[in-house]
Amino acid sequence: ARPPQICPRSRYSLLSGNYVFRGRRLSSSWGLSGGSQLLPGQRTIAESFRAAGYATLLLGKAGIGGEVAALPDELRRSTEDDRVDWLLRRGRRLADGPAQWGFDESLSMVSGIQSPPYAWFNGSVASLPRGSRCWGTATHATRTGDWVSGKFAGTGLRHRRYTPCGAGDGHDGAADWEGHMADAHVAQAALGFFDRRRRARGPQPPFFALVATAAVHAPFTPPDRFRDADIRTWVATSEVAAPRRLHVPHSSMVAELDAVVGALMAALRSAGELNETIVVFASDNGGLSCATKQHGSWRPSPETPAPPFEDVSPERSGLQSPLCGANSSAHLRGHKGDLYEGGHRVPLLVAWPAGGVPAGGECGDLVGLTDLYATLLDLAGLAPPAPGQAADSVSFKRRLLRPRDGHPARSDLLVPSPPSWALRWSRWKLISLAHGSQRATELFDLEADPGETTNLLPPHNVSGQPPRASGEAASRHEATAARMAQRADQILTSGELGGRKRMQA
């Protein structure tokens, strides 16, 4: 699958079935800065399932922005830090969050473990049993290192620095916040949901659950153990005289993610619901670079630099430090945040034994995260999205059930990163990169050049022969650029950036 290359765009695409520029902001919404990316009238996938009688659940990172309930007028144009402080000390409720997006139940974080507010929300209400506090960037010693609560700040990748709160700083999180335990809380909430269904008397409604883990996102501070299993990953250094064993935090978070998924699958199996449940596993963007994997990572004390990662681009040199773990982009160019394949090409796994999804089947079709909206409704036997809803979602049910029959559901796919974007069709990929008022355009043949090493457009095409897709690339570039510009004008003239007010369905 190909999601957008950063998480806020991907999460909006999944929830709405739309490309990100159809939402409140051309690029994406984040934090508590005037509403979520969802516009009034945009129906989420959760709302569609709930209307069909499903119980709906969101656990983990919401990640598409939101709004504070009852925020005083004088704070509406203040900094986000001021809004978060008021939310935690006084307001304690969200006006634009999972409860307004169609979820009956939710235990969520507005922006995950990497940005404030560092607190859990039960539905719309902040969970603050011990009140709130300012974390700034604080570390807490454990037996094997330090884990981070609050922002991971610093000017260099190799030397992260920790910034404690000052006397007058506002509150940014719950007093009992434990970022390294986020996925343990997510897993426990999911297991509790399954257990309540198992113990309930009488038939239970079908359910739609979106479980969004913190792993594998910075700060990389996994727990030592998950449900009594040691999940830490170690690597031996190469010093001949005195080799050392160093903890690899990113790899440990991968192990934690694997353990969470395993626990949820086991719970469904124990409840007798696994065969009847459509299970989808995907990532919201491509893999991380080696240098990024050290952000906020454990170290012997807050004052010491991060471990000696190799700050080298694997696609250029082929080198990869053992401390980075596996090369998350494999042979592909780029990483999370890039429009190259390494930034947004991810696995998409679907299991549904009772529904006829073949075990072990493979399909290389062009699929976006937007397509899950229409596909899941189709698999569940529900009506497709209403006209005007999930405008960029195409069901791939037929190919999922019979991967070798017929033609792919899609002929092209846009990966928007406004004002830049990438467009896939057939074997071709067109990238349009904005640099201020200038644009750079690249065309790649992914069948012949999956690593995107050779731009086929002049003056980079040294063969002297124009690629057979160059004419089509020019027309597609013009059409896509016009489409993005039109939406940008709509946002600027319609006032859609104002606060979002939605009636709960």
Side-chain angles (χ1 to χ4, degrees):
R2 283 171 173 79
Q5 79 289 35
I6 60 172
C7 56
R9 298 169 190 159
S10 295
R11 292 164 197 268
Y12 168 78
S13 297
L14 173 62
L15 285 171
S16 70
N18 295 319
Y19 292 141
V20 66
F21 57 78
R22 297 189 192 274
R24 181 175 307 282
R25 293 171 173 83
L26 189 66
S27 181
S28 60
S29 298
W30 182 253
L32 297 172
S33 300
S36 74
Q37 184 68 0
L38 291 162
L39 285 172
Q42 289 186 338
R43 193 180 203 189
T44 69
I45 187 173
E47 289 174 305
S48 292
F49 273 107
R50 187 168 68 177
Y54 281 63
T56 53
L57 173 71
L58 170 65
L59 299 174
K61 179 179 177 180
I64 63 168
E67 190 169 15
V68 180
L71 188 69
D73 289 341
E74 62 269 20
L75 290 177
R76 293 193 179 277
R77 295 187 179 278
S78 65
T79 66
E80 182 162 356
D81 288 345
D82 289 339
R83 290 193 291 273
V84 168
D85 177 64
W86 189 89
L87 167 68
L88 295 172
R89 296 205 208 206
R90 300 185 62 184
R92 301 198 172 193
R93 294 184 67 89
L94 298 174
D96 186 3
Q100 289 74 43
W101 306 340
F103 290 98
D104 299 321
E105 298 181 46
S106 61
L107 180 67
S108 66
M109 301 169 283
V110 172
S111 303
I113 60 175
Q114 74 266 34
S115 296
Y118 306 111
W120 291 98
F121 288 81
N122 282 299
S124 296
V125 181
S127 178
L128 303 169
R130 299 182 186 175
S132 60
R133 59 161 285 181
C134 178
W135 286 101
T137 302
T139 59
H140 295 260
T142 70
R143 186 168 54 85
T144 54
D146 295 323
W147 57 268
V148 177
S149 282
K151 300 176 184 176
F152 48 102
T155 56
L157 291 177
R158 290 180 177 273
H159 300 285
R160 284 293 179 190
R161 50 186 170 81
Y162 295 86
T163 310
C165 291
D169 290 342
H171 289 192
D172 58 9
D176 60 352
W177 176 251
E178 294 182 322
H180 71 304
M181 295 299 292
D183 284 342
H185 295 314
V186 165
Q188 190 59 42
L191 297 178
F193 175 80
F194 296 148
D195 187 60
R196 290 194 303 274
R197 289 175 57 84
R198 183 177 61 84
R199 293 175 180 272
R201 296 181 179 180
Q204 294 297 295
F207 69 90
F208 170 79
L210 175 56
V211 181
T213 62
V216 289
H217 200 289
F220 300 111
T221 55
D224 288 354
R225 309 182 71 81
F226 179 82
R227 304 188 80 205
D228 296 326
D230 191 332
I231 60 169
R232 290 170 296 169
T233 304
W234 303 85
V235 65
T237 61
S238 58
E239 295 96 339
V240 177
R244 298 169 293 152
R245 291 175 72 241
L246 294 177
H247 181 235
V248 187
H250 179 270
S251 296
S252 293
M253 288 189 87
V254 173
E256 181 186 20
L257 173 62
D258 185 63
V260 169
V261 174
L264 301 190
M265 298 288 280
L268 286 170
R269 185 179 295 108
S270 177
E273 294 192 295
L274 183 59
N275 283 345
E276 300 289 340
T277 302
I278 304 170
V279 178
V280 180
F281 180 89
S283 176
D284 57 356
N285 45 248
L288 300 175
S289 68
C290 179
T292 303
K293 291 178 182 179
Q294 67 178 279
H295 286 191
S297 56
W298 288 18
R299 68 273 332 266
S301 73
E303 291 74 31
T304 57
F309 287 81
E310 292 292 333
D311 194 3
V312 176
S313 174
E315 66 267 14
R316 288 199 307 267
S317 68
L319 299 177
Q320 183 84 356
S321 166
L323 281 172
C324 296
N327 181 351
S328 298
S329 296
H331 63 285
L332 302 176
R333 179 180 179 181
H335 304 283
K336 173 181 177 176
D338 292 331
L339 284 171
Y340 300 110
E341 292 290 276
H344 60 88
R345 180 176 174 180
V346 302
L348 173 65
L349 310 179
V350 181
W352 190 26
V357 175
E362 294 185 13
C363 185
D365 287 1
L366 199 57
V367 169
L369 279 195
T370 54
D371 297 330
L372 287 176
Y373 194 132
T375 302
L376 290 176
L377 292 181
D378 199 3
L379 288 171
L382 303 177
Q389 301 292 341
D392 303 301
S393 189
V394 178
S395 173
F396 55 90
K397 171 186 173 179
R398 176 179 52 81
R399 294 282 284 185
L400 186 62
L401 299 180
R402 296 183 298 277
R404 299 184 182 277
D405 290 354
H407 299 285
R410 273 190 176 278
S411 60
D412 58 33
L413 179 70
L414 181 65
V415 181
S417 179
S420 301
W421 45 268
L423 183 66
R424 278 290 321 274
W425 78 98
S426 182
R427 63 193 290 172
W428 308 101
K429 180 177 178 181
L430 179 67
I431 299 179
S432 180
L433 298 169
H435 302 282
S437 61
Q438 304 297 314
R439 279 196 174 270
T441 307
E442 300 175 328
L443 178 66
F444 299 101
D445 179 349
L446 293 186
E447 285 189 12
D449 180 23
E452 296 170 290
T453 61
T454 304
N455 182 1
L456 297 175
L457 295 178
H460 307 281
N461 181 4
V462 297
S463 69
Q465 298 296 320
R468 54 191 174 91
S470 58
E472 186 176 2
S475 61
R476 285 178 178 267
H477 186 282
E478 182 178 353
T480 305
R483 183 180 180 188
M484 301 275 276
Q486 180 184 31
R487 178 59 185 146
D489 290 341
Q490 288 174 347
I491 291 175
L492 290 173
T493 58
S494 67
E496 290 176 356
L497 289 177
R500 177 171 184 263
K501 297 179 180 178
R502 288 172 52 90
M503 296 296 292
Q504 186 165 340

